[in-house]
Amino acid sequence: MNLARFLCEYIIHNNNNAHLRGRRNTEDLFLNSTCIHLLLFAAASFVCGRRIDGDRRAGRGAARVEADAQRLGAGAGRLERGDANPCRWTGVSCDGAGRVAELNLQYVDLLGGVPGNLSALAGSLEKVVLAGANLSGPIPPELGALPRLTHLDLSGNALTGAIPAGLCRPGSRLRQLLLNSNRLEGPIPDAIGNLSALQQLIIYDNQLAGPIPPSVGLLSGLQVLRAGGNKNLQGPLPVEIGNCSGLVMLGLAETSISGPLPASLGRLENLETLAVYTALLSGPIPPELGQCGSLQNIYLYENSLSGPIPPQLGRLGSLRNLLLWQNSLVGVIPPELGGCAELAVVDFSMNGLTGRIPPALGNLSALQELQLSVNQISGTIPRRSPGAGT
């Protein structure tokens, strides 16, 4: 499926707002050769409406554009009579030089496959958003050959097959890659490490399998990694994850990630959320997490973590949510947690904790919920300390 089909369907579909998010009208979305010719000619031969001078084919095409625009009439949506300028089409944005820089057809019921032949726009295209567009089939590896592409959003479709290694070419400028909520299979390609500019890798809710490649550690600028909901993602979290110094959010919930959490997580000074719940983690919680001064949320529940709760977590002054329920944790609740002034929700239920609730927890003025059931904890709940709030 090429660019022309996509844009043509969108223009006709957009003409009837009643169908924009509703049922597909087959008559309105009928694609004939006239419409395809019109869009191909406009995208390839015009820059903000300026014809390629001296090209006879462009001249003949311009005449046909005029005639086609008349025949399409109201069905052509935002196309004015004789207007073959894609910069004025809804869903198309151009740069200052009049070149197509962005295609945004989000939530338009397009059907078919993702267009792979966008080479005519290779010199200018920076952003492609085809989220929720009812697309199917594989991801074309040719998209990785667009040298200026920084944002690719194909989320919320029915795409199948693997994430192509061709999408991850050296020198890529890709910063945001959103492939979540599809039916993608196979491994995360080792070539993902080639995307040195990548800031967001969003691939949750697919059917991906295999380990997280160590090459992810090459992505020093990565800020968000969300791969949860891929139940066949397995193996340990690679030690190299500690090299992702810009990481803010690490989400691997509802996967088969196993083994201990690496101590290298302690190098992630910008990490705010660690979410690896409902997985197969085992071993101790690394005390090095106490070095992650930006941590706000720790979600490690429903695993097989063992050993004590590290007292070093008490250094996390920004910590708000600490959810460790349904593990195999033992020992006492560390009184150092009383130093987590922002702590609002604590859930240690369904573990093997013993001892008393430390009085220091009474210092937690922001505390809203404390769950300690199904443990072997004794004693009374500490009173809130004077000056700790109401």
Side-chain angles (χ1 to χ4, degrees):
M1 188 175 189
N2 55 34
L3 172 63
R5 181 186 176 97
F6 266 74
L7 294 178
C8 193
E9 288 205 15
Y10 179 70
I11 290 169
I12 298 174
H13 198 78
N14 188 64
N15 188 55
N16 189 343
N17 289 332
H19 293 287
L20 187 58
R21 293 180 182 271
R23 291 187 176 180
R24 181 180 173 89
N25 186 309
T26 55
E27 182 177 352
D28 287 344
L29 293 179
F30 177 71
L31 292 176
N32 54 35
S33 60
T34 299
C35 190
I36 293 174
H37 175 87
L38 171 65
L39 295 173
L40 274 178
F41 173 77
S45 302
F46 280 78
V47 177
C48 272
R50 290 173 290 187
R51 295 182 180 85
I52 301 174
D53 295 332
D55 190 331
R56 294 184 178 179
R57 288 175 297 177
R60 290 196 299 271
R64 186 169 179 180
V65 164
E66 175 72 18
D68 289 342
Q70 295 181 43
R71 285 197 296 271
L72 285 170
R78 295 184 180 271
L79 272 177
E80 299 289 341
R81 177 174 175 176
D83 182 7
N85 178 5
C87 296
R88 288 193 284 266
W89 297 349
T90 302
V92 178
S93 298
C94 294
D95 60 19
R99 301 174 302 178
V100 175
E102 177 180 338
L103 299 177
N104 190 337
L105 305 181
Q106 186 174 17
Y107 301 133
V108 177
D109 193 10
L110 296 172
L111 294 175
V114 179
N117 185 17
L118 298 177
S119 56
L121 305 178
S124 60
L125 191 59
E126 299 178 359
K127 185 173 182 179
V128 175
V129 179
L130 301 175
N134 204 6
L135 299 174
S136 59
I139 298 173
E142 294 85 357
L143 294 178
L146 298 172
R148 299 182 63 86
L149 190 66
T150 62
H151 184 104
L152 178 61
D153 185 354
L154 302 177
S155 61
N157 286 290
L159 301 179
T160 56
I163 299 174
L167 196 62
C168 312
R169 304 190 186 192
S172 171
R173 297 188 185 182
L174 204 58
R175 294 198 296 265
Q176 288 87 28
L177 179 59
L178 291 79
L179 305 177
N180 58 281
S181 306
N182 280 286
R183 301 172 187 172
L184 299 173
E185 301 175 330
I188 300 173
D190 186 66
I192 199 76
N194 291 331
L195 300 179
S196 58
L198 198 63
Q199 298 175 355
Q200 296 184 16
L201 178 59
I202 315 294
I203 53 177
Y204 65 84
D205 288 349
N206 279 287
Q207 299 169 23
L208 299 174
I212 297 174
S215 60
V216 74
L218 298 173
L219 307 178
S220 59
L222 190 66
Q223 298 174 8
V224 178
L225 172 56
R226 298 185 61 189
N230 291 287
K231 298 186 183 301
N232 292 321
L233 270 184
Q234 57 190 7
L237 188 60
V239 173
E240 290 82 359
I241 195 71
N243 297 331
C244 300
S245 56
L247 202 60
V248 174
M249 199 285 180
L250 176 59
L252 293 167
E254 299 181 5
T255 64
S256 295
I257 295 297
S258 60
L261 289 170
S264 62
L265 288 174
R267 301 204 299 265
L268 302 179
E269 298 179 355
N270 297 304
L271 188 65
E272 296 179 0
T273 297
L274 175 62
V276 195
Y277 57 85
T278 317
L280 300 176
L281 294 177
S282 59
I285 298 173
E288 289 82 1
L289 284 182
Q291 301 171 17
C292 301
S294 300
L295 257 181
Q296 300 176 16
N297 308 292
I298 298 178
Y299 304 125
L300 297 175
Y301 57 86
E302 291 187 334
N303 280 288
S304 297
L305 296 170
S306 58
I309 298 172
Q312 290 85 350
L313 297 185
R315 302 173 185 169
L316 302 176
S318 299
L319 191 63
R320 298 175 184 173
N321 298 288
L322 180 56
L323 277 61
L324 304 177
W325 58 276
Q326 197 168 334
N327 278 285
S328 299
L329 300 172
V330 296
V332 300
I333 299 173
E336 289 84 355
L337 292 180
C340 299
E342 302 295 323
L343 202 54
V345 179
V346 175
D347 194 339
F348 296 159
S349 58
M350 298 196 298
N351 279 286
L353 300 175
T354 57
R356 295 178 175 270
I357 304 174
L361 294 190
N363 300 330
L364 300 176
S365 60
L367 191 63
Q368 301 174 7
E369 184 176 345
L370 177 63
Q371 296 282 354
L372 301 174
S373 60
V374 196
N375 280 287
Q376 301 177 40
I377 297 172
S378 60
T380 59
I381 299 175
R383 295 178 178 232
R384 192 178 297 274
S385 302
T390 58

